[in-house]
């Protein structure tokens, strides 16, 4: 993070530059709200369970998630960068149902099967493959049997999408690990020791973005 993304997430000036809703939407070619809502709709209109958001997000993703929390709902948000944690606190008006913690996504300090849902919104493309594998494994470990693990990230566009050719130099220059998501499937990085139930994948904006929802296998009662 410090080496590759200091300019976007670690340096204090990064927050001052990138924490602008219009800019976040522009970076995603006008698709921020659509992708945000696609992820949140998987959690339901009212969330009464325990949700984990892995990594802070520029824009109003977390605020919209908090607005869906019901009386029994709670949200944990983790991030490795202190400046991102500070920034999120400044954005949240009510933190009574929210806990923000400094943790590494590859080694999360939560009990097994302790969250009803886990959301990973545009994080995987920022991680080298081994960190990505560990993050996915940790997120799945924490998800309860029958619970959802929701990923939203980049995806290989269809050949007819003009953004396919525009994004190659952008991603290879600014997001050196993002092309992994063009070459492979998120499901290919799943750990083998934890059983999953269903994997549902949808793509957006001519295939440039994807949502992958993994439901952890229910326990079989004897």
């Amino acid at each position: 993070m410090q080496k590759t993304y200091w300019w976007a997430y670690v340096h204090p000036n990064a927050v001052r530059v990138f924490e602008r809703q219009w800019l976040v939407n522009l970076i995603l070619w006008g698709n921020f709200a659509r992708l945000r809502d696609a992820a949140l709709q998987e959690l339901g209109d009212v969330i009464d369970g325990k949700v984990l958001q892995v990594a802070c997000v520029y824009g109003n993703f977390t605020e919209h998630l908090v607005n869906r929390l019901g009386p029994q709902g709670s949200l944990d948000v983790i991030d490795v960068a202190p400046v991102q944690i500070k920034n999120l606190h400044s954005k949240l008006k009510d933190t009574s149902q929210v806990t923000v913690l400094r943790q590494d996504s590859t080694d999360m300090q939560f009990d097994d099967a302790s969250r009803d849902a886990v959301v990973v919104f545009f994080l995987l493309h920022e991680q080298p493959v081994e960190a990505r594998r560990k993050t996915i494994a940790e997120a799945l470990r924490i998800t309860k049997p029958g619970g959802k693990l929701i990923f939203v990230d980049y995806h290989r566009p269809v050949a007819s999408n003009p953004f396919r050719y525009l994004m190659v130099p952008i991603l290879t220059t600014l997001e050196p690990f993002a092309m992994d998501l063009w070459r492979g499937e998120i499901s290919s990085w799943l750990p083998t020791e934890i059983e999953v139930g269903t994997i549902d994948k949808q793509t957006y904006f001519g295939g440039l973005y994807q949502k992958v929802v993994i439901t952890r296998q229910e326990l079989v009662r004897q």
Side-chain angles (χ1 to χ4, degrees), residues 1 36 44 63 69 74 81 83-84 104 119 125 170 189 218:
M1 177 69 75
R36 176 200 66 206
E63 297 95 302
L69 293 176
S74 65
V83 67
Q84 292 296 326
D104 185 339
V119 184
H125 75 276
I170 293 174
W189 296 304
E218 293 267 18

Side-chain angles (χ1 to χ4, degrees), residues 140 143-149 187 190-201 212-220:
L140 188 60
T143 305
K144 292 180 180 179
K148 288 183 176 180
L149 173 53
S187 59
L190 287 168
T192 57
E193 66 272 16
I194 302 177
E195 293 188 13
V196 301
T198 61
I199 301 176
D200 178 67
K201 173 183 169 182
V212 176
V213 181
I214 298 169
T215 303
R216 186 166 172 182
Q217 181 69 51
E218 293 267 18
L219 295 176
V220 178

Side-chain angles (χ1 to χ4, degrees), residues 100-191:
V100 186
L101 301 166
R102 186 183 183 191
Q103 289 195 25
D104 185 339
S105 68
T106 66
D107 185 25
M108 291 188 259
Q109 306 303 301
F110 299 113
D111 292 336
D112 294 355
S114 59
R115 298 299 183 274
D116 296 286
V118 178
V119 184
V120 186
F121 191 82
F122 280 96
L123 172 64
L124 297 184
H125 75 276
E126 297 170 353
Q127 298 184 311
V129 64
E130 286 308 312
R132 189 182 312 124
R133 288 185 187 278
K134 291 177 181 178
T135 292
I136 293 172
E138 282 289 272
L140 188 60
R141 175 185 68 79
I142 291 163
T143 305
K144 292 180 180 179
K148 288 183 176 180
L149 173 53
I150 304 159
F151 297 100
V152 175
D153 220 302
Y154 286 108
H155 182 267
R156 185 184 186 93
V158 298
S160 60
N161 187 341
F163 285 90
R164 174 178 179 140
Y165 309 99
L166 179 62
M167 290 300 293
V168 169
I170 293 174
L171 292 179
T172 53
T173 301
L174 299 177
E175 309 271 12
F177 310 116
M179 296 303 291
D180 288 353
L181 294 172
W182 285 36
R183 292 185 286 261
E185 297 287 341
I186 289 175
S187 59
S188 70
W189 296 304
L190 287 168

Side-chain angles (χ1 to χ4, degrees), residues 202-216:
Q202 297 181 46
T203 60
Y204 304 86
F205 201 59
L208 182 56
Y209 308 111
Q210 64 180 317
K211 177 183 70 175
V212 176
V213 181
I214 298 169
T215 303
R216 186 166 172 182

Side-chain angles (χ1 to χ4, degrees), residues 33-65:
R34 182 185 185 191
L35 296 169
R36 176 200 66 206
D37 294 346
L40 296 182
Q41 197 55 46
E42 294 293 337
L43 302 173
D45 294 331
V46 179
I47 303 169
D48 279 320
K50 295 182 177 180
V51 178
L52 170 65
Q53 177 186 320
V54 182
C56 298
V57 176
Y58 286 134
N60 58 21
F61 182 90
T62 309
E63 297 95 302
H64 277 252
L65 200 166

